[in-house]
């Protein structure tokens, strides 16, 4: 049995569906099973990572866990319960911001994920770490703007990302959970091409058959506005990561293809898959 945490959010949901489609027994951990909306045949486990008493039943018979965490959540309770339940393997979905070998990570995003990676490695379980930096689903933030017109306004329009399709993340997660040869490995996952935000808007416009244009915004007032309802340190780190990619091509690797056997999906494929979301 494979357990997926964060099973109703992005990445967790796609991994559950991919495991189920491949014929693997999968259990989805969720606080609200009645709202899960997962395929028939997926086992649902009502549990909360902050409540240790809810975890033993969820972990019964589980051989491996895909750990998808909300930013800031402490994995210690789950790791202890997993070890006690006899779970063999854990795959953690981490961040590409983590710097290997750094005594102190460069920002709060990297620090949080680096700390979780360390906890996973020290858990006594077999482990694999998957790092991704800019998922293509970040583009869903454009939807609200597109409801009012054909102009996308955003800071750092010349920042370049190798955005990765969430289905590729799910495919890699399934392969590393269920297959041999991945224990003790840390994989960096990218899409197949380096694209600026302006490139992404152009491609998205083609998928939507709309003449989309993009306007660059001063990041400072955008950061101030967003800080009113989001964690300021997290946002500052995210903006710094974006600023660092302006004028530079993003890293592109073949990890998805090496692990899954198929090429990474393009951003154009992502845009076509999500056209209805805009």
């Amino acid at each position: 049995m494979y357990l997926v945490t964060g099973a109703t959010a992005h990445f967790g949901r796609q991994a559950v569906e991919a495991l189920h489609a491949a014929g693997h027994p999968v259990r989805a951990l969720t606080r609200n099973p009645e709202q899960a909306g997962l395929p028939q045949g997926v086992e649902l486990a009502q549990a909360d990572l902050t409540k240790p008493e809810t975890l033993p039943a969820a972990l019964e018979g589980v051989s491996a866990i895909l750990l998808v965490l909300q930013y800031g959540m402490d994995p210690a309770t789950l790791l202890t319960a997993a070890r006690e339940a006899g779970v063999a393997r854990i795959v953690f979905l981490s961040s590409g911001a983590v710097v290997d070998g750094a005594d102190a990570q460069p920002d709060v995003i990297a620090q949080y994920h680096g700390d979780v990676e360390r906890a996973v490695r020290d858990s006594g379980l077999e482990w694999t770490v998957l790092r991704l930096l800019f998922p293509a689903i970040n583009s869903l933030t454009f939807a609200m703007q597109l409801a009012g017109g054909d102009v996308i306004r955003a800071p750092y329009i010349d920042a370049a990302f190798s955005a990765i399709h969430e289905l590729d993340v799910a495919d890699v997660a399934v392969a590393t959970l269920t297959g041999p040869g991945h224990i003790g490995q840390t994989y960096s996952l990218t899409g197949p091409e380096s694209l600026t935000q302006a490139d992404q808007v152009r491609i998205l416009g083609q998928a939507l058959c709309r003449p989309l244009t993009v306007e660059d915004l001063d990041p400072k007032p955008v950061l101030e506005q967003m800080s009113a309802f989001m964690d300021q340190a997290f946002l500052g780190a995210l903006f710094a990561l974006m600023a660092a990619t302006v004028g530079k091509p993003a890293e592109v690797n073949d990890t998805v293809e090496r692990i899954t056997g198929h090429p990474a999906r393009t951003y154009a494929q992502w845009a076509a898959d999500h056209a209805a979301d805009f």
Side-chain angles (χ1 to χ4, degrees), residues 13 23 29 34 78 100 139 190 195 219 222 231 247 255 277-278:
R13 177 178 294 276
L29 191 150
E34 64 279 0
L78 176 66
D100 284 323
S139 294
T190 78
L195 297 170
V222 176
D231 180 80
T255 303
D277 296 325
F278 294 92

Side-chain angles (χ1 to χ4, degrees), residues 9-131:
H10 287 301
F11 304 118
R13 177 178 294 276
Q14 286 83 20
V16 168
E17 293 173 348
L19 283 163
H20 178 66
H24 298 292
V26 56
R27 183 179 297 156
L29 191 150
T30 175
R31 294 176 181 174
N32 300 297
E34 64 279 0
Q35 299 176 10
L38 291 166
Q40 185 176 3
V42 171
E43 187 176 325
L44 300 177
Q46 186 171 16
D48 187 327
L49 298 187
T50 66
K51 298 178 179 179
E53 67 276 11
T54 68
L55 295 176
L59 291 165
E60 185 176 356
V62 169
S63 60
I65 299 171
L66 175 62
L67 183 61
V68 182
L69 290 176
Q70 182 179 350
Y71 174 76
M73 183 169 287
D74 187 349
T77 299
L78 176 66
L79 293 175
T80 298
R83 186 170 56 250
E84 293 174 351
V87 174
R89 182 185 303 189
I90 188 161
V91 175
F92 172 50
L93 188 59
S94 187
S95 170
V98 176
V99 177
D100 284 323
D103 293 332
Q105 294 293 329
D107 56 59
V108 295
I109 296 175
Q111 190 65 57
Y112 168 71
H113 288 90
D115 288 345
V116 177
E117 287 187 12
R118 187 176 302 106
V120 167
R121 290 194 297 268
D122 293 343
S123 67
L125 307 178
E126 298 172 347
W127 58 268
T128 306
V129 170
L130 309 179
R131 292 178 180 165

Side-chain angles (χ1 to χ4, degrees), residues 136 165 200 203-208 266-278:
H165 199 304
Q200 291 175 355
I203 293 169
L204 182 59
Q206 294 170 350
L208 299 178
T266 64
Y267 185 81
Q269 288 175 279
W270 182 91
D273 290 343
H274 287 272
D277 296 325
F278 294 92

Side-chain angles (χ1 to χ4, degrees), residues 90 142 203 213 227 244 275:
I90 188 161
F142 297 152
I203 293 169
T213 58
S227 295

